[in-house]
Structure formats: C-alpha cells, structure tokens
Amino acid sequence: MQLRKVTAASAAVLALALTATACGSDDKDDSASGGGKKITIGIKIDQPGIGLKTPNGKYTGFDVDVATYVAKELGYDAKNIEFKETKSADRETAISRGDVKFIVASYSINDERLQKVDFAGPYLLAHQDILVRADDNSITKPEDLNNKKLCSVTGSTSAQNVKDKLAPKAQLQEYGGYSECLTGLENKAVDALTTDDSILAGYASQDANKGKFKLAGFKMTNENYGIGLKKGDADLKKKINDALTKMVSDGSWQKAVDANFGPAGYKNEKAPKIGNVVK
C-alpha cells in the first residue's frame, strides 16, 4: 500500500518534470508544425540540376528548391534548414532513425519502399534513360545494353530494372555515387550510366561535360519523385502535400523546373497530380 502513496510534493515535482520535458521537445528540429528552431532535410549533394553542394557550400537544384518551399510552408525560414546528404542506399534508414524530417532526393515511389516509408507527392514525373559517350553509336535501343557494362549507384533500382526487363545480359556495375559512374563512363570503364533522365540531363549540361555525353532518349520507365517521410505520419504528409499543391498553383514549381532543367533542354512532364502515381 505504501508504494501507491504519492505525496502532494512528489506530484508537484513530477508535474514540473513533465512540463520541462514537453517544453524542451519544442526546440527539436523534428517539429512537424514548424515550431522548432531547425529542420533537417535529406537531399542528394552530387546531382547537378537536382541536388548539388557547390564548392562554396551552397545547395542548388530542383529538389533543393522544392524542399525549401515546403519547409517555408511548414514554418521554417531558409536559414533554419539543415540539408543532410542521404545516399540512395541510406534513405530509408535515415528516415526511420529520425536523422531527417523528410527526404527530397530524386526518391522514386515504389511498392517496396512504401513498405518502409510514406511518401508525399509525387512532385515530378521523370523517366529512366541512359547516358552514353557522345561518340558511341553502338547503343540505339535498350536491348543493345546486353553484354555492355551498365553503371548505377548502390541502392538504386535503375540498373536492375534494365537487366530484369530489357537486357538480361547487361553487366551491372554499382558505384557509390553518380559522379563516380560518370568518371567511369568517360574513362571507358563502363559503357553506359542509367538513372532518371532529369539527373542525366543535369550531368550532361555541366560546363565540364558539354559535348562529352548524350542521352539515349529511351524513356524506359516512369519515375514518380516523392518526398519520403516516416511511415504513419499522416499529419506531416498532408501538410507537405498541401505545400506541393500550392507550389504548382502559384507558379513556383514551373519556375524551379525552368531554372534547373531548362539549360539542358530537358522536356519535363507537366506537374503530376498529388497521389497519382503513374505506372
């Protein structure tokens, strides 16, 4: 019976402790309402036109623009955003561990990933394509990738899609990042690089790469870019979807597309409808 007795003084101490804990949680960067001081967002930092960290420490690209717009709608100023690199193989882990609040990193929505995380969006419809050397005319259709060395990054589904559905004899090469694949392509260590056309266009349009590579224009798959977040966080998902809808309606979405993909002559699809995943 003595174990059940709680004095008034003990109750007061307990109440103060709980109050202090609640107040302290408001300062964390994972406040879905934007009440926290900072927010951490996962992005790519090596994808020109999508997500790139420049030598002076700035972040550029379409995904960066989308992430910044969404964060603003959640109540965060740009100065309060901490961008964190999330490589393809680490995205689900970063979300589940709470390393980031959400991820905007050319993150295609698919059934396998939906088992682990939720997605807001989609906010861009891209297509899988390949990049080859400008002087290479040996690959004119997906089947020509048979017996060719095909590069993609660890954790990406792009190369496996080609091998499973189009070129079963393709020799898959997995590198840590697209920049490494590009170097391998230039040095003839690999014959082709595959990922989304938006990403490939970004690389091909860089000043240092102009004239060296070309897109095949195969449009092998539909890639619906979504914003990844912790599974079951319906409130945050709705807020992000509302922000994306507003970004399209006020013209900011198209402005970001033109600014980041226009120089490469990239022909984007129109803004996809929220919740409409094109197979």
Side-chain angles (χ1 to χ4, degrees):
M1 292 296 292
Q2 290 181 343
L3 293 176
R4 295 183 181 179
K5 291 182 179 179
V6 180
T7 66
S10 298
V13 170
L14 179 60
L16 286 171
L18 292 173
T19 301
T21 301
C23 291
S25 67
D26 288 342
D27 292 331
K28 293 182 179 180
D29 65 355
D30 60 356
S31 171
S33 64
K37 293 180 180 179
K38 299 283 185 180
I39 185 169
T40 303
I41 302 174
I43 61 167
K44 293 291 183 65
I45 65 169
D46 64 346
Q47 294 180 353
I50 297 288
L52 181 70
K53 185 176 182 179
T54 63
N56 62 6
K58 292 184 178 181
Y59 297 92
T60 65
F62 181 70
D63 281 354
V64 174
D65 290 345
V66 170
T68 301
Y69 188 100
V70 169
K72 182 179 179 181
E73 290 301 303
L74 293 178
Y76 297 93
D77 292 332
K79 64 182 179 180
N80 291 327
I81 299 172
E82 178 186 349
F83 287 117
K84 184 179 181 67
E85 179 185 14
T86 49
K87 294 185 177 180
S88 295
D90 301 329
R91 288 179 296 205
E92 287 84 22
T93 301
I95 291 173
S96 63
R97 279 195 317 224
D99 295 342
V100 296
K101 189 59 186 175
F102 55 82
I103 290 179
V104 192
S106 55
Y107 201 1
S108 297
I109 302 170
N110 62 37
D111 292 338
E112 181 180 354
R113 290 168 179 164
L114 282 168
Q115 300 300 313
K116 302 175 183 178
V117 300
D118 278 346
F119 285 96
Y123 64 92
L124 184 73
L125 175 59
H127 303 284
Q128 186 181 343
D129 203 348
I130 67 165
L131 192 71
V132 297
R133 291 180 293 276
D135 60 355
D136 185 354
N137 296 315
S138 66
I139 303 174
T140 60
K141 57 186 182 298
E143 292 78 9
D144 291 336
L145 290 167
N146 281 310
N147 300 314
K148 298 284 190 179
K149 293 180 180 179
L150 179 64
C151 189
S152 192
V153 301
T154 304
S156 172
T157 59
S158 299
Q160 193 63 48
N161 284 342
V162 174
K163 186 174 179 66
D164 289 345
K165 301 174 183 178
L166 300 169
K169 295 182 180 179
Q171 301 172 28
L172 305 188
Q173 307 286 319
E174 287 192 338
Y175 286 18
Y178 292 111
S179 296
E180 297 170 44
C181 276
L182 200 70
T183 299
L185 181 58
E186 183 175 6
N187 296 335
K188 299 185 177 181
V190 297
D191 300 301
L193 161 59
T194 186
T195 187
D196 304 343
D197 51 8
S198 55
I199 298 172
L200 297 176
Y203 280 113
S205 65
Q206 285 186 297
D207 289 340
N209 296 328
K210 286 181 178 178
K212 294 182 180 180
F213 309 103
K214 62 184 178 182
L215 281 164
F218 291 160
K219 291 191 175 183
M220 294 179 284
T221 64
N222 293 319
E223 303 297 333
N224 300 272
Y225 287 3
I227 295 181
L229 63 149
K230 188 169 290 187
K231 198 162 186 64
D233 196 340
D235 182 58
L236 179 60
K237 180 177 178 179
K238 181 181 184 305
K239 289 178 180 178
I240 294 176
N241 279 336
D242 289 345
L244 293 174
T245 300
K246 182 178 177 181
M247 187 178 186
V248 173
S249 65
D250 70 12
S252 298
W253 184 89
Q254 189 61 52
K255 183 179 179 180
V257 168
D258 294 341
N260 292 291
F261 301 134
Y266 172 73
K267 304 299 183 184
N268 67 282
E269 302 279 2
K270 66 179 183 179
K273 182 180 179 181
I274 297 297
N276 184 23
V277 177
V278 180
K279 299 293 186 179

